[in-house]
C-alpha cells in the first residue's frame, strides 16, 4: 500500500472505533494548525524536501504529513506533488496560493485554519470576505423559472408543455 492509501485507510477506514478516530482527528487538526501557522508566517516561502524530511521539520509522523500533503494539494502554486504514489523518500514541494488555500479552508469548514491571525498579513479583510462569500455561493443551486403546464414547450415544438415534454410528468 502507498502512504496515501495507508493514511486514508487509517483516517477513513473501519479499523478504528469512534473514540480512536476522534482522538486521531483531534491530534491531526492540532498538528495541521501548527504546520499552517509556520507556512503562513512566510507564505511566499517554498518548502521542499522528502516526505520524511518534512515530517521531521514539522515534528510529526510520515503518515500525518501524508494527510497534510493530501489536504493542501489543491491549494498549491504551479506544482503537483505525486500524492497517489509517493513514499517517504519522495521529494515534495509546498508553495501555497494564498487565495486558493483560504477558499479551500472555508470549503472544508476549517474555521480554526481560516481564522488564524496570520491571514491578516496575507489577505485583506475585504478580500477574505469576498473569498468566503464566493465559496459559500458556489454550493448554492439556482433553479430557473418553473415551466407552467400551459406555457409553450421549451424544446421549441410549438406545443404547450403539457402536450409535449411535460406529458407523463
Amino acid at each position: 500500500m502507498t502512504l496515501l492509501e495507508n493514511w486514508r485507510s487509517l483516517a477513513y477506514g473501519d479499523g478504528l472505533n469512534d473514540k480512536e478516530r476522534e482522538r486521531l482527528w483531534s491530534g491531526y487538526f492540532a498538528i495541521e494548525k501548527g504546520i499552517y501557522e509556520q507556512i503562513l508566517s512566510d507564505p511566499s516561502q517554498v518548502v521542499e524536501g522528502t516526505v520524511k524530511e518534512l515530517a521531521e521539520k514539522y515534528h510529526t509522523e510520515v503518515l500525518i504529513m501524508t494527510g497534510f500533503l493530501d489536504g493542501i494539494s489543491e491549494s498549491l502554486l504551479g506544482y503537483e506533488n505525486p500524492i497517489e504514489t509517493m513514499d517517504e523518500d519522495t521529494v515534495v514541494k509546498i508553495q501555497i496560493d494564498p487565495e486558493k488555500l483560504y477558499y479551500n479552508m472555508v470549503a472544508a469548514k476549517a474555521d480554526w485554519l481560516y481564522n488564524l491571525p496570520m491571514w491578516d498579513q496575507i489577505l485583506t479583510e475585504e478580500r477574505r470576505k469576498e473569498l468566503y462569500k464566493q465559496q459559500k455561493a458556489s454550493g448554492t443551486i439556482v433553479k430557473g423559472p418553473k415551466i407552467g403546464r400551459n406555457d409553450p414547450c421549451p424544446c421549441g415544438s410549438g406545443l404547450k408543455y403539457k402536450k409535449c415534454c411535460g406529458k407523463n410528468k
Side-chain angles (χ1 to χ4, degrees):
M1 274 168 85
T2 66
L3 282 177
L4 186 61
E5 289 170 335
N6 283 331
W7 163 252
R8 288 181 177 167
S9 175
L10 176 66
Y12 306 111
D14 295 329
L16 302 176
N17 65 39
D18 289 346
K19 194 170 191 167
E20 292 169 330
R21 186 171 286 113
E22 185 179 324
R23 191 170 35 249
L24 170 81
W25 280 107
S26 62
Y28 172 81
F29 291 145
I31 293 166
E32 177 188 45
K33 182 179 178 186
I35 295 171
Y36 275 120
E37 286 172 338
Q38 291 180 58
I39 289 172
L40 294 175
S41 66
D42 185 3
S44 61
Q45 177 189 20
V46 178
V47 179
E48 196 167 355
T50 66
V51 176
K52 186 177 183 179
E53 289 168 347
L54 293 184
E56 289 168 3
K57 175 180 177 149
Y58 294 113
H59 311 290
T60 190
E61 302 166 27
V62 168
L63 223 45
I64 298 293
M65 193 69 220
T66 302
F68 179 83
L69 290 167
D70 185 29
I72 199 172
S73 65
E74 293 180 7
S75 304
L76 301 177
L77 271 174
Y79 182 80
E80 204 170 300
N81 290 316
I83 299 293
E84 300 289 334
T85 58
M86 69 185 179
D87 60 31
E88 64 181 28
D89 296 320
T90 303
V91 175
V92 292
K93 188 160 87 172
I94 301 172
Q95 182 179 12
I96 65 164
D97 177 332
E99 290 194 357
K100 268 192 205 174
L101 181 60
Y102 188 84
Y103 182 94
N104 290 333
M105 286 175 171
V106 171
K109 297 178 174 70
D111 59 332
W112 65 94
L113 298 176
Y114 67 76
N115 285 326
L116 286 171
M118 293 86 184
W119 285 112
D120 295 340
Q121 308 304 314
I122 301 167
L123 299 172
T124 65
E125 185 176 347
E126 182 180 287
R127 184 63 185 140
R128 291 192 312 259
K129 284 180 181 178
E130 286 173 21
L131 290 167
Y132 186 91
K133 285 179 184 176
Q134 280 177 15
Q135 197 294 313
K136 292 302 180 186
S138 72
T140 305
I141 298 170
V142 180
K143 291 184 177 181
K146 185 175 178 179
I147 303 164
R149 38 187 275 108
N150 288 315
D151 291 342
C153 191
C155 76
S157 67
L159 298 172
K160 289 184 178 183
Y161 180 69
K162 68 182 178 186
K163 295 282 188 184
C164 190
C165 295
K167 206 172 192 175
N168 300 328
K169 288 193 180 195

